[in-house]
């Protein structure tokens, strides 16, 4: 994985553009571009309160299908964990679930993003689930290639959280990994895959950006803007470092030209310091984001 200073790659302004603000649902008009209509991002935001668990679903309009998914926790401050970013089996919607850790009592919200498009070769969903393991990988079937990612983790959010949703070589696989002090009860990786169709430009490519490796948290990172005839579909991210760090956001920008990610340090659980399993190992780390950039499918 390539590592670089985010200031050289995108600058703080670009990260702000990618992550944006959670203001409500959005389904922009489908502007035309070379080869067909551009994909659209649909956004849905939960209530902003202190509920323990929240579920929110973003649905694609009309005949459009889910090609990729995104998720974000707002005001979690390391006390709320993403437990699912999951396109449904029919690829009509994306459901995002998040749960507060013990001791988190302030208001927070969660955002679901669906990247919606149409193609003569529609996408398919593939999944793989493991029990009592911290890593799972799913492969795209046949000659299909990865266009979107997803995951679901089941287990105690005080002890386990997702720190990686990564593309494999050649955009063929999705790998999901959890960190923490315990393995999840079950871990699922989701891939949205489709057969290659004649593109109007170069085939899909993976574009990456990364923060520096240091002890400052939270961390945000965004990719540089895509070319004029390319859009961001799948978003992946990975946290490295010796500490309780996890993914807080995987976000396609509103115009689908950039991908952004955010990682946070887990909040300390209540109780004596000696009993805080998440107090050990705090230190430096880094965050990398990946975007699957592709030209028109039509």
């Amino acid at each position: 994985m390539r590592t670089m200073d985010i200031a050289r790659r995108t600058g703080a302004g670009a990260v702000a553009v990618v992550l944006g603000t959670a203001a409500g649902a959005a389904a922009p008009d489908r502007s035309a571009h070379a080869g067909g209509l551009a994909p659209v991002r649909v956004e849905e935001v939960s209530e902003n309160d202190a509920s323990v668990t929240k579920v929110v679903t973003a649905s694609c309009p009309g005949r459009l299908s889910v090609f990729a998914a995104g998720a974000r926790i707002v005001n979690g401050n390391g006390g709320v964990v993403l437990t699912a970013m999951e396109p449904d089996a029919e690829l009509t919607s994306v459901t995002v679930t998040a749960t507060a850790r013990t001791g988190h009592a302030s208001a927070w919200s969660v955002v679901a993003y669906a990247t919606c498009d149409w193609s003569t070769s529609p996408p398919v969903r593939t999944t793989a689930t493991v029990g009592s393991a911290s890593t799972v990988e799913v492969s795209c079937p046949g000659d299909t290639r990865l266009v979107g990612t997803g995951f679901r983790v089941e287990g105690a959010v005080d002890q386990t959280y997702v720190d990686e949703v990564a593309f494999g070589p050649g955009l063929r696989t999705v790998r999901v990994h959890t960190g923490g002090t315990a393995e999840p009860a079950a871990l699922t990786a989701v891939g949205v895959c489709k057969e290659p169709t004649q593109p109007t430009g170069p085939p899909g490519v993976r574009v990456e950006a990364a923060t520096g490796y240091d002890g400052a948290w939270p961390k945000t990172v965004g990719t540089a803007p895509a070319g004029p005839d390319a859009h961001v579909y799948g978003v992946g991210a990975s946290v490295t470092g010796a500490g309780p760090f996890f993914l807080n956001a995987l976000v396609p920008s509103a115009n689908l030209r950039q991908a952004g990610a955010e990682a946070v340090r887990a909040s300390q659980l209540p109780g004596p310091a000696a009993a805080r399993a998440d107090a050990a190992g705090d230190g430096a780390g880094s965050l990398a984001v990946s975007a699957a950039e592709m030209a028109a499918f039509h």
Side-chain angles (χ1 to χ4, degrees):
M1 180 173 291
R2 190 172 56 203
T3 301
M4 63 201 77
D5 187 335
I6 183 60
R8 295 200 305 268
R9 186 71 166 87
T10 62
V15 176
V17 168
V18 175
L19 294 181
T21 58
D29 292 335
R30 301 194 75 201
S31 58
H33 71 137
L37 296 174
V40 297
R41 187 190 78 170
V42 177
E43 171 186 337
E44 197 67 43
V45 186
S46 74
E47 295 294 328
N48 183 55
D49 57 34
S51 301
V52 174
T53 296
K54 296 182 181 180
V55 181
V56 64
T57 298
S59 299
C60 288
R63 64 186 294 195
L64 301 185
S65 297
V66 171
F67 277 60
R72 183 187 180 196
I73 294 169
V74 180
N75 295 327
N77 301 318
V80 181
V81 176
L82 286 170
T83 57
M85 183 184 81
E86 196 168 19
D88 70 332
E90 292 76 27
L91 293 178
T92 61
S93 64
V94 173
T95 296
V96 174
T97 306
T99 299
R101 288 161 49 88
T102 299
H104 184 83
S106 58
W108 60 280
S109 61
V110 64
V111 189
Y113 302 95
T115 298
C116 307
D117 204 350
W118 177 88
S119 174
T120 55
S121 173
V124 296
R125 191 186 78 152
T126 183
T127 66
T129 301
V130 295
S132 301
S134 60
T135 304
V136 61
E137 185 171 282
V138 65
S139 299
C140 286
D143 293 329
T144 62
R145 295 295 186 271
L146 185 71
V147 293
T149 64
F151 67 87
R152 183 177 69 252
V153 58
E154 299 174 25
V157 296
D158 287 348
Q159 282 78 43
T160 187
Y161 25 75
V162 171
D163 58 15
E164 181 179 54
V165 181
F167 309 145
L171 294 177
R172 295 302 308 272
T173 62
V174 178
R175 183 180 65 253
V176 178
H177 181 270
T178 61
T181 58
E183 292 179 339
L187 182 62
T188 299
V190 181
V192 180
C193 310
K194 73 177 301 296
E195 293 179 354
T197 52
Q198 183 64 39
T200 60
V205 295
R206 180 172 67 179
V207 177
E208 299 177 340
T211 69
Y213 192 94
D214 56 40
W217 298 91
K219 296 183 185 297
T220 58
V221 62
T223 60
D229 291 325
H231 288 87
V232 167
Y233 286 82
V235 180
S238 180
V239 189
T240 58
F245 315 130
F246 59 85
L247 295 175
N248 193 69
L250 299 95
V251 179
S253 66
N255 63 3
L256 295 175
R257 297 292 189 181
Q258 296 174 266
E262 183 176 53
V264 295
R265 188 198 324 247
S267 60
Q268 291 188 334
L269 301 176
R276 296 176 185 168
D278 59 348
D282 269 5
S286 64
L287 169 65
V289 64
S290 300
E293 291 186 3
M294 300 181 185
F297 291 110
H298 318 290

